[in-house]
Every structure is written in structure tokens, then in C-alpha cells.
Amino acid sequence: MRSLYSGVSGIRSHQTRMDVIGNNIANVNTTGFKSSRVTFTDVFNQTLSSGSALSNPQQIGLGVAVGSTDLITDDGAFQMTGRSLDLAISGSGLFVMKGADGEILYSRAGGFDWNSEGYLINPALGMKVQGWMADGNGVIGRTDRATLTDIRMIRGDVSLPVATTKATFKGNLDAAAAENDTYETVLNAYDSLGRDIQITLRFTKGEGNEWTVEYLDPYNSEPTDPDDPTSTPWQEGITLTFNEKGQIDLTGGGTGTTDPTPGIMTITIEDPSGQAADLTISVDFTKITQTFDGSGSSGTSHSTVEMDTRDGRRMGTLEAVYVNELGQITGRYTNGDSKLIAQIALANFNNMAGLMKQGNSTFAESPASGVPQIGTPASGGRGSLVPGNLEGSNVDLAGQFTEMILTQRGYQASAKLVSTADDMLQEIINLKR
């Protein structure tokens, strides 16, 4: 009774298929879950006759067996969360994570957070996310498997101050000003220690369309004449010459004694305490115009020159961290500085379906999957990241219910086959009566 064994094999195979379907349905809402499918194959046939030129072979099948349990690696639907450390992968690739025992696993579940020691982890697994750390200048070196490391953020990390080296001014010097009329404005700069340095600039109207620019050293602003409290040691700057259109003449006029470029003045400030480095600032006045303000009158200045841009910054501390689609973790500091902190790694495999499931939506390398190809997102065939989203399960619930119905009917048919074969055996036993 070969049919009896064929029925039993059908029951076993369909039971396995139902187990896989049940697991898929149970994980319909599991983050990063990848569903599986079962394929059947017929069992070796018993050959009664190999056939000849005049007849076909005579073979009887011996049932069905599970051919494979395949991992479906299609992307799941993205679920928006709004958390900057929730990351989904658009395309191929898996996050690389390391356990406490050093074991390396891979996952599509990107719900990350920082632990008490500042390491980027997957809280559900307690595993550290792998990548590459930037140096103090925000530069990342090699990005390969050999240089993988834990990603760590230091709360209270400091962005060092940067001294001001360039500044630009904008606005208008009122052409209605009388000769020797003055206008003062302030250049706010930072020294190498991040201190605020206020440098006063004075514009003095000369003959025709000329204005003389001087500056006041904040460390040397005492009166030069003890008997005249209003006297101050103004430092010589440059002379600005404007053309008939109210623009600075950059072709030859306006050359100063401190800088050979028309419209550019160099300011040098020395710290008498010796704590900070000498401050050298190139000040650009080429945006300034000289026209009649319209609201003024002869002898009255209504100038509006003010600082437009300035580089440099004070000291700052880390206040926020962001991740972009390339997996770059950038820190934002209280002084406005932004710096690359780390780079998240992704792994790709020649045969993603060959990975071994390890539970908790993680996978392990296997001989069937091949070796991991580790690199940065959006490179080498690896997908890009979608911050603020998590990848849901790729289980197709409607498809699973359909497969469940077919599996149930197959199971029922196999069971009926066993029952019918049993009836036939009963008839043989009854022949003795």
C-alpha cells in the first residue's frame, strides 16, 4: 500500500507548511520581520519498468516532501514614527550589530537608542550598532569590515572655539554727510578662546567721495592725552573712494595702508594677557554704498553701515544628534557648529535568502548566504536609510490566508487518502472470512 505512505508524507509536509504560515501570520506586526514560504517536491519514484522504444517507463511516486523553506527578503511597508533614531532601509542591506559576547548579527529592525554609556544600541536586542567613528575634525577614515567599531556619542561633547578671520559689512554711508562727520559701528568678533571681542569702527567723511575707516583696539582704548578724556588711540585703517554711482571704486581708488586690496582692511588685535592668539581679521567693505539717504539734510549723517557676515564661533556643547539617509550621524552644538560624529554600516549578501534566522528579527551569516559585504549606505548596491521610519513585516496577510486554505485542503486530502487506504486494507483482511 504505497498510497498509505504517500498520504502520510502529504500530512507531514502540509503540517510543516501550516507551521510556517502560522509563524508568518503571528509576525504580521513584527518590525523588520521577513516571511518564509515552503515549497514541496515529489519523492523518488519507484520504477516498475524503464520502458522501451515501444512503451513508456512505468513509475509510481512515493509521496511528497518539503523541498525548501525560503526566506522572502522583499521590503516591508515603512511606518513613520518621527523619531530621529528610528531607521528603515530602502533597498538591500542589513544593520550590523554586535552582542555582549562579540557575536555579529544582522537585522532590518532599526529602532535604535543610546544606552547609559552613550553607545548606539538596539534596545530590543541589547546589541550595539556597528559603524565607524569620526576623528576630532569630523573625518571618517576607512569604511570596511576590518575597521568596524561600536558607535558612541559623548553627551556634553565640546565644539572648540574658532577665531574670527573674516567679516563683511553692508549698508550705506550718507552722501549728505559734511566733511569730518563721523559714523561708528561695531564689529563683534571671537578670539581663539571664544571670547567676544567688540571692535569699534569709525567712518570719517573726507573730501568729495572719500571716507576714512579707523578702528579702536578694545585692549588699548585709554585716552592718549591724559588732559583730554575724549582722545582715543584710533588705529589707522583705509580710505574708501566711491564713484559717481555710489559704489566703491575697486579699480584703483580706496587703497589703504594696512591692505593693498581696495575695499579690504586688515585688523590686528593683540591680547595683552597672552592667553589668546593674536586676532587678525580681514574686513570687506565692498558691499557698502555712498548715496543720499533721503531722510537727512546737509551736515547730518544718516548712515546705516553694519556687520553683515562673520566667521568664527564661541565654545559650544552638543545639544542634538541627527542621522541622514547616508547613515551619517551629525551632532549639532550650541554655538551653531555641526560636526560628523559617526557613520552607520550596512551589510549586503550575495544570497540574502541564505541567512540563518536567529530570532528577534536577526540573522546570522551562513555558508549559503556568502560573506557579508560591509560598507556605507547608498554604496555598493546597499540601500539608503529613511530616518524617522521603521520597516514593518513583509507578510502579505491576504496571501497567507489563501495559502492557509490550500494547505488545509491538501492536509484533508492526504488524511482522506490514508483513510481510504486503510479501508482497502480492511477489505483485504475480510477476504479471509
Side-chain angles (χ1 to χ4, degrees):
M1 276 293 181
R2 302 182 187 89
S3 59
L4 186 63
Y5 295 102
S6 294
V8 172
S9 69
I11 291 174
R12 290 175 176 173
S13 298
H14 282 86
Q15 180 61 59
T16 300
R17 188 177 186 182
M18 185 62 76
D19 292 340
V20 172
I21 292 173
N23 182 63
N24 289 340
I25 294 176
N27 285 281
V28 69
N29 290 317
T30 301
T31 302
F33 178 79
K34 298 302 177 185
S35 61
S36 300
R37 70 175 183 183
V38 173
T39 60
F40 292 159
T41 182
D42 61 331
V43 180
F44 179 76
N45 292 280
Q46 181 178 358
T47 302
L48 303 180
S49 172
S50 59
S52 65
L54 300 178
S55 62
N56 296 326
Q58 297 181 22
Q59 294 178 299
I60 299 177
L62 300 179
V64 65
V66 174
S68 65
T69 303
D70 303 320
L71 181 67
I72 308 300
T73 59
D74 295 343
D75 290 358
F78 291 169
Q79 303 168 355
M80 182 178 295
T81 65
R83 288 188 70 252
S84 60
L85 291 180
D86 283 346
L87 305 174
I89 303 174
S90 177
S92 182
L94 299 102
F95 296 108
V96 185
M97 293 179 291
K98 184 175 71 174
D101 57 355
E103 180 185 16
I104 297 294
L105 295 179
Y106 308 91
S107 178
R108 298 276 292 195
F112 302 141
D113 211 337
W114 306 103
N115 70 2
S116 59
E117 298 178 342
Y119 289 101
L120 185 63
I121 64 168
N122 185 318
L125 308 177
M127 302 184 73
K128 296 177 181 177
V129 180
Q130 299 296 285
W132 303 275
M133 295 296 298
D135 61 18
N137 296 319
V139 177
I140 293 177
R142 289 169 47 194
T143 54
D144 53 32
R145 187 177 185 181
T147 56
L148 274 178
T149 186
D150 302 335
I151 293 177
R152 189 179 188 186
M153 177 194 66
I154 301 175
R155 291 290 183 185
D157 185 33
V158 172
S159 170
L160 293 176
V162 175
T164 299
T165 59
K166 296 179 181 179
T168 63
F169 278 75
K170 65 179 180 178
N172 182 65
L173 291 170
D174 192 358
E179 187 174 348
N180 294 324
D181 275 357
T182 61
Y183 172 77
E184 294 183 5
T185 187
V186 174
L187 166 59
N188 294 304
Y190 297 108
D191 67 9
S192 61
L193 296 179
R195 290 179 297 188
D196 290 317
I197 306 296
Q198 292 193 350
I199 305 171
T200 303
L201 303 182
R202 183 171 70 179
F203 298 81
T204 303
K205 183 69 163 61
E207 295 182 355
N209 292 328
E210 290 187 350
W211 290 76
T212 300
V213 186
E214 301 169 298
Y215 67 93
L216 188 62
D217 187 336
Y219 296 115
N220 187 22
S221 59
E222 295 296 327
T224 55
D225 185 355
D227 298 328
D228 182 7
T230 63
S231 62
T232 53
W234 290 96
Q235 304 293 317
E236 185 179 6
I238 63 173
T239 299
L240 304 178
T241 301
F242 295 88
N243 59 26
E244 65 279 2
K245 295 182 179 180
Q247 300 170 324
I248 290 181
D249 186 357
L250 300 178
T251 60
T255 302
T257 59
T258 58
D259 200 297
T261 304
I264 306 294
M265 181 176 72
T266 299
I267 294 177
T268 301
I269 304 294
E270 296 182 3
D271 181 4
S273 69
Q275 290 181 292
D278 292 348
L279 190 61
T280 302
I281 307 173
S282 177
V283 185
D284 186 347
F285 296 113
T286 56
K287 293 182 180 180
I288 295 177
T289 60
Q290 183 208 237
T291 62
F292 284 93
D293 182 78
S295 61
S297 59
S298 178
T300 303
S301 175
H302 289 269
S303 300
T304 58
V305 173
E306 61 182 3
M307 188 173 64
D308 183 25
T309 64
R310 173 213 57 208
D311 64 358
R313 62 175 183 262
R314 60 170 61 92
M315 187 205 77
T317 55
L318 185 64
E319 66 174 349
V321 175
Y322 302 95
V323 185
N324 65 12
E325 65 276 5
L326 300 179
Q328 297 171 333
I329 302 177
T330 302
R332 189 184 70 193
Y333 295 80
T334 54
N335 61 357
D337 184 28
S338 293
K339 185 169 62 176
L340 183 61
I341 296 176
Q343 167 74 64
I344 295 176
L346 288 186
N348 211 356
F349 293 85
N350 289 331
N351 178 22
M352 297 282 285
L355 293 168
M356 291 283 293
K357 285 188 174 184
Q358 298 296 305
N360 293 322
S361 296
T362 62
F363 304 90
E365 175 186 349
S366 77
S369 67
V371 298
Q373 302 160 15
I374 296 178
T376 59
S379 69
R382 289 171 286 269
S384 59
L385 302 187
V386 185
N389 287 262
L390 289 176
E391 182 182 1
S393 171
N394 70 346
V395 173
D396 179 3
L397 199 56
Q400 293 300 311
F401 281 137
T402 302
E403 292 294 326
M404 183 168 60
I405 293 172
L406 294 174
T407 302
Q408 180 187 13
R409 294 307 180 192
Y411 186 91
Q412 288 177 335
S414 297
K416 186 65 176 178
L417 178 59
V418 172
S419 175
T420 302
D422 178 59
D423 290 343
M424 294 176 65
L425 286 175
Q426 184 64 39
E427 290 298 326
I428 292 175
I429 292 174
N430 291 338
L431 289 175
K432 182 179 178 181
R433 296 179 182 177

